[in-house]
Amino acid sequence: MDSNILLVVIQGIGWVVIGYMVLVILFYFFMLLVALFQIRRKYQLDNTEPYEDLLNVSYSKPLSILVPAYNESVGIIPSIRSLLSIEYPQYEVIVINDGSKDDTLDKLMEEFQLKKIKKIVKQKLTTKNVKGIYQSTIYDNLFVIDKENGGKSDALNVGINVSSYPYFCSIDGDSILERDAFLKVMKPIIDSDGEVIATGGSVRIANGSVIENGSISKVGLSRNPLVIMQVIEYLRAFLMGRVGLSRHNLLLIVSGAFGVFSKKWVIDAGGYLHTVGEDMELVVRLHRLVKEKKAKNKIVYVADPVCWTEAPEEMTYLKRQRNRWHRGLFESLWMHRSMAFNPKYGSIGMVSMPYFILIEFLGPVIELGGFLYILLSFFLGGIYIEMALLLFLLFIIYGSMYSMLAVLMEEWSLRRYPKAKQITVLFFYSLTETLWYRPLTVIWRCQGIIDVLRKKRGWGDMQRRGVSQ
C-alpha cells in the first residue's frame, strides 16, 4: 500500500511539472510573438531612421557615463577608449576605482595622464570616503575617482554624486560599446520628454571578436562551447524576454552592464543599495516609486544599441556568476515582496512580480524536479516512461526550440553576426541546450537558492582575460 501511494505521488509530481512547463511555454510563446512584431517593426523596417538630430547639442540631453572598476586592469583601457570615441554630443566619462588591489589606477593614470583636481561634490547619497578626483589632461571629459572599497553599489553612488549631468549610464569596466549605442538608447528618453526614466540596451558576448582602438572591428564567435551557449542565452534573454516585457512596461531588469537612468529619479529612490543584484533592485524600486507617486513614467528596453562584454570561459566562474544572479534575483524580490500580487502596483504587482517569482526564481526547482523525474522513470517503466518522454519533449521546446528561435530572430532582424557559419554554429549548439547546458544552469541556480537559505552574501571572485584578446 505504501509503495502504491509513493507511485501515485511520483505520478502526481510528474503531472504538476508537465502542467507547469505547458503554462511557461505558452507564456514565452506570447512574449515571442510580441518580440517578433516589436523587433521587426522598430529595428528592421525602420532601420533607416535618422539619428542626426540627436547629435545636435540643443536637442539631446547631456549624459554622465559611470564606470565602476574593481581590479579591472586587464580590460579597463580599451573599455575607456571605446567610451571616449562614442557618437554623442555632450557627455562625461567617470571611472570609479573602488579600492582596486591591482594596478587599475596606475594604468589609468599613465594612459590618460591624469591630474588631481579640486571639485565641489554635493553629498546627495551617502558613500564611502573619496580619496581623490582626477581629470585627464588629454580628454577634458574624462574623470577618475579613487575611493575606499565599498562595492559596486557604493561606487555608482559616488559617481552619481560627482556627475554633472541629468542622466547617467552605468556600464561594467570590461565592456565595449558600439559607437552609436548612446544615440539609440537615449532616443526613447529624448522623444518621451522625460516620461521614460530608464532605458537598457542589449548586451552581447565579446569573446572571439577582434577589438581595435577600443571598438569592435570584427564580430567573431568563440570556439569554447560554454561561451557559445552564453551567446545563445543572451540572445534569448534580451531579444525574447526583455523586448516582450518592455512592450507593456513590465521590465524589472536593466542590465548593470549597460543602462541609462534619470539621476533625479534615482536620487529620489535612494540610489543604489548594497545588494548582490543592485541593478534589478534599483529598477524594481523605481517602478515602486512611480506607482506610489501615481505617475506614468516608464522603463524601456531598446534592442538595437549593443554593449559587448566578456563572458566567463571556465565552468567554475560561470557557476559563480549564475549563482550570484539567482541570489540577486531573490534579494530584489524579497525586499519588495509586498508588491507581489498587489493590485496597488498595477501590472508590475499582478504580472511582472509573479512572473519573476514563479518562473524566473522558482522555475529551476521545477525543472530540476522534471530532470530527476526523467531519470527515475527509467527504473519505474510503464506509464512513467511515457510521461518522461512528454516531459522531455516540453524541455526541448522550452530550452532548445526557443533558443533556436532566438538565433533566427537575431539573423532576421539585427544581424550582428555577419557570417552564415556563425549562425549555423549557434543554431547547432542551441539544439543541444536541453541535453547538457540547461541542466547545468538549473543546478547552479538551485544552488543559489540553497545559498540564499544559508544567508551567503558576496560576489565571489571572477576571472578577467580582457575582451580585446
Side-chain angles (χ1 to χ4, degrees):
M1 183 66 179
D2 291 340
S3 61
N4 289 333
I5 293 175
L6 179 61
L7 291 175
V8 169
V9 170
I10 293 172
Q11 189 175 355
I13 291 173
W15 282 118
V16 169
V17 176
I18 288 171
Y20 175 87
M21 292 305 299
V22 169
L23 291 175
V24 170
I25 287 170
L26 291 174
F27 182 84
Y28 271 105
F29 182 72
F30 171 74
M31 289 211 297
L32 171 64
L33 292 178
V34 173
L36 282 171
F37 285 110
Q38 185 75 356
I39 289 177
R40 189 65 176 175
R41 178 180 65 83
K42 191 169 183 62
Y43 304 112
Q44 180 65 16
L45 298 182
D46 298 336
N47 63 355
T48 57
E49 185 178 16
Y51 289 93
E52 287 80 4
D53 287 345
L54 297 183
L55 289 170
N56 189 324
V57 176
S58 62
Y59 182 64
S60 64
K61 296 182 184 296
L63 178 70
S64 299
I65 304 172
L66 310 183
V67 188
Y70 177 72
N71 294 347
E72 297 285 359
S73 173
V74 175
I76 192 69
I77 299 303
S79 296
I80 300 306
R81 286 209 169 277
S82 77
L83 294 175
L84 293 171
S85 64
I86 64 171
E87 293 179 356
Y88 201 76
Q90 188 175 1
Y91 68 97
E92 62 182 357
V93 178
I94 302 175
V95 184
I96 307 101
N97 179 49
D98 188 39
S100 295
K101 296 177 181 177
D102 63 4
D103 60 345
T104 297
L105 183 60
D106 293 335
K107 281 193 173 181
L108 291 168
M109 295 279 286
E110 180 181 354
E111 184 72 20
F112 301 109
Q113 298 182 27
L114 302 179
K115 183 180 180 180
K116 196 168 187 177
I117 62 171
K118 291 184 179 180
K119 186 177 176 71
I120 298 175
V121 178
K122 294 182 179 179
Q123 197 77 5
K124 296 177 180 178
L125 300 170
T126 303
T127 67
K128 292 278 190 176
N129 184 49
V130 172
K131 298 178 181 179
I133 301 176
Y134 301 84
Q135 184 175 17
S136 171
T137 56
I138 306 172
Y139 304 95
D140 291 341
N141 62 336
L142 173 61
F143 299 87
V144 174
I145 304 169
D146 186 29
K147 64 177 289 291
E148 294 177 356
N149 180 260
K152 185 178 180 181
S153 301
D154 191 72
L156 288 170
N157 286 338
V158 167
I160 292 170
N161 284 339
V162 174
S163 65
S164 304
Y165 298 140
Y167 290 88
F168 72 88
C169 170
S170 63
I171 72 166
D172 289 341
D174 62 343
S175 301
I176 299 291
L177 287 172
E178 294 188 354
R179 291 193 66 194
D180 61 353
F182 279 110
L183 292 176
K184 295 176 179 178
V185 82
M186 284 295 292
K187 192 173 190 305
I189 292 175
I190 296 169
D191 289 348
S192 70
D193 194 26
E195 183 178 283
V196 174
I197 59 173
T199 59
S202 289
V203 178
R204 299 291 172 87
I205 304 299
N207 306 52
S209 296
V210 178
I211 298 174
E212 296 177 349
N213 299 320
S215 62
I216 299 282
S217 62
K218 183 180 179 181
V219 175
L221 197 61
S222 172
R223 295 181 180 180
N224 186 326
L226 275 179
V227 175
I228 294 173
M229 291 309 303
Q230 289 175 78
V231 170
I232 296 168
E233 196 175 23
Y234 274 51
L235 289 176
R236 175 173 170 157
F238 284 92
L239 291 183
M240 288 178 58
R242 298 194 186 183
V243 170
L245 292 171
S246 174
R247 177 68 178 82
H248 300 284
N249 195 29
L250 297 172
L251 191 65
L252 291 189
I253 298 178
V254 170
S255 174
F258 186 28
V260 174
F261 297 87
S262 162
K263 186 165 74 171
K264 178 185 179 301
W265 275 88
V266 170
I267 290 174
D268 288 348
Y272 287 90
L273 300 185
H274 185 63
T275 61
V276 178
E278 78 291 324
D279 45 3
M280 178 180 180
E281 193 283 323
L282 175 62
V283 173
V284 178
R285 196 153 23 96
L286 286 173
H287 274 298
R288 183 174 199 143
L289 187 61
V290 167
K291 294 298 183 182
E292 290 176 351
K293 285 188 174 183
K294 297 182 179 179
K296 296 182 178 180
N297 299 85
K298 298 177 180 179
I299 296 172
V300 304
Y301 166 71
V302 189
D304 201 6
V306 171
C307 169
W308 298 84
T309 191
E310 180 183 4
E313 295 190 348
E314 296 179 16
M315 200 169 291
T316 299
Y317 298 104
L318 181 59
K319 174 185 175 181
R320 288 178 187 174
Q321 183 191 65
R322 298 313 156 90
N323 179 300
R324 185 183 75 243
W325 285 0
H326 215 65
R327 286 187 286 121
L329 172 62
F330 170 80
E331 208 167 18
S332 299
L333 295 174
W334 181 253
M335 288 177 68
H336 300 281
R337 59 191 180 278
S338 62
M339 295 175 65
F341 304 99
N342 189 339
K344 174 184 175 181
Y345 296 99
S347 57
I348 295 295
M350 300 303 292
V351 178
S352 197
M353 289 290 285
Y355 160 75
F356 277 93
I357 293 170
L358 299 176
I359 296 180
E360 292 294 337
F361 181 69
L362 294 178
V365 177
I366 306 296
E367 287 185 65
L368 182 61
F371 286 124
L372 293 175
Y373 183 91
I374 291 172
L375 292 175
L376 186 61
S377 68
F378 289 105
F379 299 98
L380 297 176
I383 189 174
Y384 299 99
I385 288 286
E386 296 174 4
M387 290 180 65
L389 290 173
L390 175 59
L391 193 55
F392 183 71
L393 177 62
L394 293 174
F395 280 143
I396 290 289
I397 295 172
Y398 177 56
S400 298
M401 294 301 293
Y402 276 164
S403 293
M404 289 164 58
L405 288 171
V407 172
L408 291 176
M409 286 173 66
E410 160 66 26
E411 171 61 16
W412 182 50
S413 56
L414 303 179
R415 297 183 178 177
R416 282 299 190 279
Y417 295 94
K419 294 182 179 180
K421 180 181 178 181
Q422 294 171 337
I423 296 298
T424 303
V425 170
L426 290 172
F427 199 79
F428 169 76
Y429 270 91
S430 65
L431 284 171
T432 71
E433 179 177 342
T434 305
L435 300 177
W436 68 283
Y437 185 74
R438 187 79 187 179
L440 281 176
T441 58
V442 163
I443 292 171
W444 295 337
R445 290 160 71 192
C446 285
Q447 287 176 339
I449 295 176
I450 294 172
D451 286 341
V452 163
L453 297 176
R454 293 170 53 207
K455 298 183 179 180
K456 179 180 177 180
R457 299 184 62 84
W459 276 52
D461 295 331
M462 293 298 291
Q463 186 183 49
R464 299 295 192 196
R465 297 179 184 273
V467 293
S468 58
Q469 295 181 5

